[in-house]
Amino acid sequence: MNQRMNASPVKALSLALAGVLTMEGCSTLPDMRLAKQSKINGDYALAIENYKALADSGYFDAAIYLGDTYLQQDHANAERLAEASYRKTAVDGTNAKTRGYAEVRLAKLLARKQNATVAELKESDEIFRKLYQQGNDEVLPLMVKLHMAHPQLWPDEDTLGIINEAKLRGLPDANLALLLLYKRQGYEQANLSEMALLCEEVLSQVVGCYPELAEIYQVSNDSESISILFNKAKQQYQLKLLEPSILYRMANVLVKTKQSEIRPTLADDTYQLVQDEYPRALLARIRLRLDNPYFSNSEEVLHLLAQAKQLHLPEANMLTGKLYYDGKLVPLDPVLAEKNLLKASGQFAAADYWLGQIYLRGYLGKSDIQKGQRHLLLAARAGSKSADYALAEMYNGGAGVAPNPTYSYLFSGLAAEAGSTKASLLHENIKQTLSLKQQSEAEGLLAQEKQFRAGDHQDAIALSTPTVSSVATTDFEASPIDYPSYEWGVSTQFSYRWDDDRYLGLKPNGDTNEFQINLKPWIKAELNEDWRFFTELQAFAATDVTEIDSDQGGGSSDGFLGAREFWFDYKGITSYPGETLRLGLQRIREDDGIWWDKNIESIRWIFDTTTFFAFAGVAQQFYQYRTDENELSDSDKDQLNLFTTLSWQWQPGHHIGSRVLYKNVDADPEAVGQTASQDDLNNLARGDFYWFGLNTKSDYFNYRSEENIHYYAELTWLHFDGDNATLSPGSQPSTIAGYQSETADNVAIDLGLRWKLPVAPRVHLGAAMAMGSGGNGSDKPNSFVQTGLQSNRSRFTGTRASFHRFNEAYRAELTNLQVATLYGTLADPSQFDLSVVYQYFQRDNADQGVVASGVSAPLVNGSKDLGHGVDIVTSYYFRQILPLVNWRFERDAYARLRASTFKPGDAYGNDADSLKYRITMDVSFQF
């Protein structure tokens, strides 16, 4: 190695570490995954902090999640805050899909809002109608449900006519809407068999029918149908075709339907099935036992509470307090009840209601009226009508409190709004005792209190709100989650490939024609909270020696067994779910495939948040890990890589970033006198390579993006410092004459622009240009070269199909190359896509060679014209194998055709074939 190389790794490593340290300082970046994890763990404050920061920055999906999180909190302002978040997104959302999601949530909130005004109910109806007219059939049952709940607002509405019109159009959701209409009549009058048939007919299309059918069967006491329905639901859930919330609602039906006996065992089994993915189900299992003590015992319920504690679910403290407050499964213990309920105070109305009763009734030995009053007021203002009634009774002379008829009138009126007969009776009785002046004063206070609860924080009642300090943790030990946990699967791909002639007719035996099978079994293990492990193996077989796509392992073979990935992940660096340290054989890639997309031995730090993405690490390949050829070729040995990438999403869907890679090639040089061509020169260089790139992009490679315009641009500079081979002049074939020290600088440019037409199915038109400079000489390897970690495969046309950026038949690299690209796509991402791509290739420097793995033919003259290429790539996505076979894949399978042609240009001479073909057919699925 020459002397210049000694300091280079230090410089490159310093640059990479600087990037890492910069990112470690970004410890307050808002992140969607952190918010979601915090929400699951019950840390609503942190979830709201992250969602709100993202929503304020224009991430409207975060604004929707923010509204959802507000509604999961048990406080008086939850509905008001959620409504504001939904409204803003419904108006300002960046695309129709996002606005539609927000409008549905807003309409549902207005429809079920406590004490909703006529204007709010009418607005909800208007939103549902608009969405229905725009083709959102799923809102029809919601609209019908709204009309049935408030028939006085739509006295002339022909609800049945609307439903029948939808049924004539063949809308499956119309069946659910009709069922809800029948349900409004009451189960005694309705024909249960007819109701059940409505949902049975469309069960595979309308998942909302699962809970409704469960309720019908439960009311009918139809045990056999219940068993069949729940078995089907569990099977669909395990296939990822049903959300856990659906099974949760079904289980709720079994224990909450008043018209029949409960089925606690089946409900508990269903809750248990989904509780790991849906923690509310774990809480439901606890409530089931608290409400039905005969079904459980103290040891079991304490174990479940410990699990909830381990998951940091805030309801766990409240339910533990209720356990000791009720004294049914364990001895009554007001001290332990108070200790746990205080931890949930201010978060859940029930916790403050029970605390109020403990203090007011003197369960701790002596009545504490002040504390009791404060906690009952907290509960009442968080929506507890029971707390309102308790306050009304208290101010009516109960619990040793001096009577205050005005306050009693106020709180009994609030409690009566929930339909409580006893609250209404108390309210009327107190009204009879009040003078007109007192009634006027009470009505004024009632209006002010309602304003307060709606969000106006000018307190109308002279009662202070208690500040409750936290206390020690519970007395019992928390049971840890069972580790390790495992996931596994097998990716399977069958392929047929016909490659016409890689030698362009200039040499024999250039055709290949073979069938392939590629099996990739994998297993992922969560070893504990911080460590996980992943491995993916590979079994490949073909009917003849064939070139393997770079994203499938690369090289040529007719069969082998191998290892693709084998790594450990450490996630305990910070609280960000997307920050890890990964060690082992792993795939290093980014969506464009131009810099890196390769399995390689590496130590890599990854920082992946909503607004910022980065990774940095060191990598070097030591073995192929394949049975056909484990050792590396001489040219691939002793290549050390230090790398980093940084990307900032400065506004939703728009990124700027940089990438840096240092590579030290320290392999033994090829011997002087050995045969070599001009195309080999770049592979013969030994020394230090530095790549530095600056880029900006929208979600160009994200097929899910709904934006109308997508763009991508990157400028890359390459600096080389090392030893180059020189070729002997005039000799045929040429040989290596020697080596000389040299520095060289080259650049590459990659640009792309795509437009989504306002039609359905989705249509894209796009153009791209890429250039890798070719240096300025014919006898030195001073062209731009890629990193050696690239695949050049990506979803650059905006569909789900990933294929070669520079023509499937030609498969060029960005060395001494200029490429102009035009393409069009037609796609429904859930079902199919079609891409048609035209490309023109030419050399940047007519005196330099090019690199193209699809063609092995010499460039015979000084022409820049390399040729033209056309790719036609179409895919069909499916889960069910045959319409009559009741079995589906867990993930989308696909059948894909990649048909590619390349027409050689003048640079290949007149003797080359006029056209080269490459056709590949793939069928891929996962078990």
Side-chain angles (χ1 to χ4, degrees):
M1 184 184 294
N2 63 49
Q3 292 299 312
R4 282 189 298 271
M5 298 179 194
N6 292 335
S8 300
V10 177
K11 294 193 305 183
L13 183 59
S14 299
L15 184 60
L17 287 175
V20 173
L21 292 174
T22 299
M23 289 313 307
E24 280 300 299
C26 301
S27 58
T28 58
L29 288 170
D31 180 46
M32 199 82 76
R33 282 190 290 179
L34 178 59
K36 182 179 179 181
Q37 187 63 50
S38 301
K39 181 179 173 183
I40 291 173
N41 291 341
D43 190 347
Y44 293 120
L46 184 57
I48 288 172
E49 178 185 339
N50 279 266
Y51 281 141
K52 191 173 188 310
L54 292 168
D56 291 344
S57 299
Y59 292 84
F60 289 104
D61 49 350
I64 293 175
Y65 297 140
L66 176 63
D68 296 346
T69 308
Y70 282 137
L71 290 179
Q72 285 196 315
Q73 291 193 289
D74 200 1
H75 62 70
N77 292 327
E79 287 184 343
R80 180 181 65 83
L81 294 170
E83 181 182 341
S85 190
Y86 294 150
R87 283 191 184 280
K88 179 174 176 57
T89 307
V91 173
D92 299 334
T94 52
N95 56 68
K97 194 173 182 179
T98 301
R99 291 193 297 272
Y101 285 146
E103 286 176 321
V104 169
R105 280 172 163 82
L106 175 61
K108 290 170 69 176
L109 172 60
L110 295 174
R112 67 170 184 263
K113 197 174 184 182
Q114 283 191 0
N115 305 317
T117 65
V118 171
E120 289 171 331
L121 295 172
K122 291 279 190 180
E123 182 185 3
S124 176
D125 176 63
E126 290 172 5
I127 296 172
F128 284 143
R129 287 178 185 273
K130 183 187 78 169
L131 294 171
Y132 181 58
Q133 291 169 0
Q134 291 175 350
N136 187 343
D137 304 328
E138 294 180 1
V139 302
L140 177 61
L142 300 174
M143 184 170 66
V144 170
K145 197 171 183 179
L146 172 65
H147 289 186
M148 291 188 300
H150 306 278
Q152 74 280 4
L153 297 182
W154 295 278
D156 301 322
E157 181 71 81
D158 182 11
T159 304
L160 183 59
I162 295 173
I163 295 173
N164 286 333
E165 184 272 335
K167 282 180 69 66
L168 288 175
R169 289 168 51 205
L171 300 183
D173 290 281
N175 284 36
L176 177 57
L178 186 56
L179 185 151
L180 295 174
L181 184 62
Y182 288 160
K183 188 175 172 181
R184 178 70 177 176
Q185 299 171 2
Y187 285 118
E188 292 77 14
Q189 293 78 30
N191 185 325
L192 293 178
S193 298
E194 182 181 350
M195 293 172 66
L197 184 60
L198 285 170
C199 260
E200 289 167 351
E201 291 175 346
V202 296
L203 186 59
S204 62
Q205 299 164 278
V206 184
V207 296
C209 275
Y210 276 94
E212 298 299 335
L213 276 177
E215 185 172 348
I216 292 171
Y217 296 153
Q218 175 73 357
V219 171
S220 305
N221 198 26
D222 187 346
S223 299
E224 182 179 357
S225 294
I226 286 177
S227 177
I228 293 172
L229 178 68
F230 273 74
N231 286 337
K232 180 177 177 64
K234 290 175 182 179
Q235 181 185 39
Q236 296 295 93
Y237 168 71
Q238 288 166 340
L239 291 172
K240 307 297 185 184
L241 299 176
L242 271 188
E243 293 294 327
S245 59
I246 297 295
L247 277 82
Y248 173 79
R249 289 169 57 193
M250 293 174 68
N252 285 346
V253 166
L254 299 180
V255 295
K256 294 183 180 180
T257 302
K258 297 179 180 179
Q259 294 93 332
S260 60
E261 293 293 324
I262 69 171
R263 300 173 190 265
T265 302
L266 180 56
D268 189 58
D269 290 343
T270 307
Y271 288 138
Q272 187 173 11
L273 177 66
V274 302
Q275 71 179 33
D276 289 342
E277 189 176 357
Y278 200 70
R280 290 173 67 182
L282 174 60
L283 299 172
R285 296 185 70 201
I286 298 170
R287 288 192 178 96
L288 176 62
R289 285 156 174 80
L290 295 180
D291 295 339
N292 304 277
Y294 66 88
F295 181 65
S296 186
N297 55 61
S298 60
E299 183 179 351
E300 184 180 32
V301 77
L302 286 172
H303 174 74
L304 292 174
L305 284 165
Q307 285 185 289
K309 282 281 190 177
Q310 184 72 19
L311 292 173
H312 307 290
L313 299 176
E315 292 95 331
N317 290 313
M318 178 187 69
L319 294 175
T320 304
K322 186 178 190 302
L323 174 70
Y324 291 107
Y325 177 88
D326 290 340
K328 296 177 181 178
L329 285 167
V330 297
L332 185 69
D333 191 331
V335 174
L336 281 178
E338 179 200 30
K339 177 188 288 188
N340 286 278
L341 291 172
L342 282 172
K343 296 178 185 178
S345 175
Q347 299 180 70
F348 302 100
D352 283 299
Y353 172 75
W354 291 321
L355 279 169
Q357 297 289 12
I358 288 173
Y359 295 133
L360 204 60
R361 298 185 181 189
Y363 288 164
L364 294 174
K366 184 178 180 181
S367 176
D368 191 328
I369 294 173
Q370 185 179 22
K371 282 186 178 180
Q373 169 219 48
R374 289 176 178 176
H375 282 283
L376 286 174
L377 186 59
L378 271 177
R381 287 176 171 172
S384 171
K385 294 304 178 183
S386 296
D388 277 320
Y389 183 73
L391 285 166
E393 282 197 316
M394 184 185 77
Y395 285 114
N396 195 35
V401 177
N404 187 323
T406 301
Y407 285 170
S408 186
Y409 178 84
L410 183 156
F411 287 112
S412 62
L414 290 168
E417 291 177 350
S420 169
T421 302
K422 61 181 182 180
S424 298
L425 183 60
L426 177 61
H427 188 65
E428 287 300 318
N429 289 338
I430 295 172
K431 184 176 181 181
Q432 301 300 322
T433 67
L434 297 179
S435 66
L436 291 177
K437 181 179 180 182
Q438 287 175 315
Q439 282 189 41
S440 175
E441 179 185 352
E443 291 292 346
L445 288 176
L446 178 61
Q448 290 180 38
E449 179 65 12
K450 286 183 176 180
Q451 268 190 326
F452 173 83
R453 296 187 184 189
D456 183 352
H457 292 284
Q458 182 179 355
D459 195 345
I461 302 175
L463 296 174
S464 60
T465 302
T467 301
V468 183
S469 61
S470 61
V471 294
T473 57
T474 54
D475 293 339
F476 52 88
E477 291 295 327
S479 301
I481 300 173
D482 291 335
Y483 287 111
S485 62
Y486 298 95
E487 290 181 49
W488 65 274
V490 180
S491 301
T492 305
Q493 182 169 298
F494 296 98
S495 302
Y496 166 74
R497 177 176 295 151
W498 172 41
D499 203 335
D500 176 37
D501 187 0
R502 66 181 297 108
Y503 301 124
L504 302 182
L506 301 176
K507 293 170 62 176
N509 302 321
D511 298 350
T512 59
N513 185 347
E514 74 282 330
F515 289 91
Q516 306 172 9
I517 181 171
N518 207 340
L519 302 177
K520 291 182 286 186
W522 57 269
I523 184 169
K524 180 170 69 174
E526 297 283 343
L527 303 177
N528 55 42
E529 288 186 347
D530 295 330
W531 285 94
R532 65 179 174 175
F533 164 77
F534 178 82
T535 186
E536 183 180 64
L537 307 177
Q538 184 174 17
F540 175 83
T543 55
D544 199 354
V545 175
T546 181
E547 183 183 353
I548 304 169
D549 288 341
S550 55
D551 58 345
Q552 297 294 332
S556 297
S557 182
D558 61 356
F560 62 85
L561 300 176
R564 289 172 56 84
E565 295 191 63
F566 188 97
W567 49 258
F568 288 88
D569 225 11
Y570 177 69
K571 301 185 293 181
I573 304 172
T574 66
S575 60
Y576 284 100
E579 184 173 23
T580 63
L581 183 66
R582 186 168 296 173
L583 306 91
L585 179 63
Q586 58 187 279
R587 191 160 197 86
I588 300 174
R589 74 177 308 272
E590 286 190 84
D591 290 338
D592 62 311
I594 293 294
W595 277 60
W596 26 60
D597 184 8
K598 185 180 179 69
N599 294 327
I600 190 170
E601 300 94 321
S602 177
I603 300 174
R604 182 165 59 122
W605 168 79
I606 305 165
F607 187 80
D608 186 3
T609 69
T610 303
T611 56
F612 212 104
F613 171 77
F615 64 69
V618 56
Q620 182 169 338
Q621 189 171 10
F622 296 98
Y623 298 101
Q624 301 258 26
Y625 302 102
R626 285 169 35 167
T627 56
D628 59 340
E629 189 172 359
N630 187 42
E631 297 296 327
L632 300 176
S633 66
D634 290 340
S635 60
D636 290 330
K637 291 179 179 178
D638 300 319
Q639 295 189 12
L640 174 68
N641 300 273
L642 299 174
F643 54 87
T644 185
T645 187
L646 306 173
S647 180
W648 174 43
Q649 191 169 193
W650 58 278
Q651 71 177 50
H654 299 272
H655 312 252
I656 57 173
S658 66
R659 301 192 273 200
V660 178
L661 173 66
Y662 161 76
K663 179 189 288 284
N664 171 239
V665 180
D666 196 25
D668 293 335
E670 300 291 341
V672 174
Q674 182 171 320
T675 300
S677 68
Q678 187 184 69
D679 295 344
D680 297 325
L681 285 175
N682 287 300
N683 289 329
L684 296 174
R686 302 291 186 265
D688 297 320
F689 295 80
Y690 301 86
W691 288 266
F692 177 74
L694 296 174
N695 58 69
T696 181
K697 62 181 178 180
S698 60
D699 286 333
Y700 189 80
F701 301 99
N702 180 7
Y703 72 87
R704 295 184 178 90
S705 175
E706 296 288 338
E707 298 300 318
N708 293 324
I709 299 294
H710 297 86
Y711 62 88
Y712 177 83
E714 183 166 44
L715 173 65
T716 303
W717 168 66
L718 167 63
H719 175 73
F720 170 73
D721 184 0
D723 295 332
N724 280 335
T726 58
L727 300 182
S728 55
S731 63
Q732 291 296 329
S734 56
T735 60
I736 298 175
Y739 290 86
Q740 64 180 27
S741 296
E742 184 179 279
T743 61
D745 294 284
N746 280 280
V747 296
I749 299 173
D750 194 8
L751 307 172
L753 182 66
R754 185 171 64 246
W755 174 45
K756 179 169 75 84
L757 277 64
V759 297
R762 184 183 297 178
V763 175
H764 282 144
L765 298 177
M769 188 278 286
M771 184 276 290
S773 61
N776 53 16
S778 61
D779 61 344
K780 297 177 181 178
N782 51 9
S783 300
F784 180 87
V785 294
Q786 291 184 255
T787 64
L789 305 179
Q790 79 282 351
S791 70
N792 289 334
R793 294 184 175 275
S794 65
R795 293 169 170 159
F796 69 97
T797 62
T799 69
R800 294 173 68 176
S802 177
F803 56 100
H804 207 286
R805 283 283 306 276
F806 308 125
N807 188 253
E808 281 282 314
Y810 194 42
R811 300 193 302 286
E813 294 186 12
L814 206 54
T815 295
N816 189 31
L817 187 71
Q818 296 179 4
V819 188
T821 305
L822 296 173
Y823 62 86
T825 71
L826 173 68
D828 177 344
S830 64
Q831 295 184 338
F832 74 91
D833 53 54
L834 169 67
S835 299
V836 180
V837 182
Y838 166 79
Q839 292 180 308
Y840 172 67
F841 301 88
Q842 70 173 26
R843 286 191 279 184
D844 182 62
N845 183 343
D847 294 326
Q848 289 278 0
V850 297
V851 179
S853 61
V855 169
S856 295
L859 302 172
V860 299
N861 54 46
S863 173
K864 288 189 174 183
D865 178 22
L866 294 171
H868 306 257
V870 174
D871 287 299
I872 299 176
V873 180
T874 184
S875 309
Y876 172 69
Y877 304 95
F878 59 95
R879 290 199 177 186
Q880 191 165 356
I881 300 176
L882 294 172
L884 300 180
V885 177
N886 189 24
W887 191 87
R888 295 165 65 93
F889 293 113
E890 182 176 333
R891 301 182 183 179
D892 279 355
Y894 66 81
R896 178 170 295 150
L897 169 68
R898 291 176 282 159
S900 181
T901 65
F902 175 71
K903 180 178 176 58
D906 292 342
Y908 286 101
N910 296 327
D911 294 333
D913 285 345
S914 59
L915 205 61
K916 168 185 165 47
Y917 300 90
R918 178 182 169 95
I919 297 175
T920 305
M921 298 182 67
D922 301 315
V923 177
S924 180
F925 50 89
Q926 283 206 23
F927 292 106

